[in-house]
Amino acid sequence: MIEDGEVQAVVFDCDGVLLDSNEMKVACFRDAVEAAGFSPGDVERFSAFQRANFGTSRFRLFEALLGWDLERRPPVDRDGLVALYAERLRHLYVEAAATPDMRAVVGRLAAKLPTYVVSGSDEAELRDVLATRGDAAMFRLILGSPRTKVENLLTLFARPELVALPRSAITFVGDAEADWKAARETGCRFVYMDRFSTVQARMRALAIEEGFPVIEDLRGLPAALGMTQPEDGSPAC
């Protein structure tokens, strides 16, 4: 449980927190680099790198790939890779399952506190996906790449409803090391959601080292935030 002060705003990562979309994205990244013509060895190397760095924007992941000493260098640039990835992702993303009780938990929370999304996903794409799914109205602002998560958190903290709050009153819920690093760098609290993470072993070890709360899925978030459970047994708010 988070202590030493009341939580006054919550920021959510999207993939692996709001949506069960991590493995879908891993597959789309892999398909994109295969389609671009990279060697099987480089595809394997990139897929492992992308999985380990989940939460980093597609722009930076593909920039990293193109900076490597590659077995075969196909005639494609970063933007071409981004387009291949987006083409594969487009229809799948809208249909991804929500994580368990996501709408109930976030909806109750949003009725009490400001809630936001900060994701490594492309911002325009993410806003469109969440709007199409009917989920966008739960959040006051949805931010994504190409800006970094640190840049987007700082943008949120400058909003009128947050600017006077201590950073420790704002909690970022994520499932990747990139999320924890962004929270640490900006001074807000961090809650790790384990169930859909692509880096569970690393994050579980980091939680022990750093002492941040771990939840299985969003149903455990109210307790981690120190909120009470409703008498009817529904997700706490």
Side-chain angles (χ1 to χ4, degrees), residues 152-168:
N152 282 331
L153 285 172
L154 292 175
T155 294
L156 286 185
F157 299 160
R159 286 175 62 87
E161 70 270 24
L162 300 183
V163 68
L165 294 181
R167 299 283 177 82
S168 60

Side-chain angles (χ1 to χ4, degrees), residues 8-30:
Q8 298 185 52
V10 181
V11 184
F12 295 89
D13 177 43
C14 182
D15 300 308
V17 174
L18 301 177
L19 303 181
D20 178 8
S21 48
N22 282 353
E23 293 301 329
M24 174 195 74
K25 284 197 163 185
V26 169
C28 288
F29 271 113
R30 185 186 184 92

Side-chain angles (χ1 to χ4, degrees), residues 33-47:
V33 294
E34 284 181 337
F38 288 87
S39 72
D42 287 332
V43 170
E44 291 296 332
R45 181 184 172 194
F46 176 75
S47 186

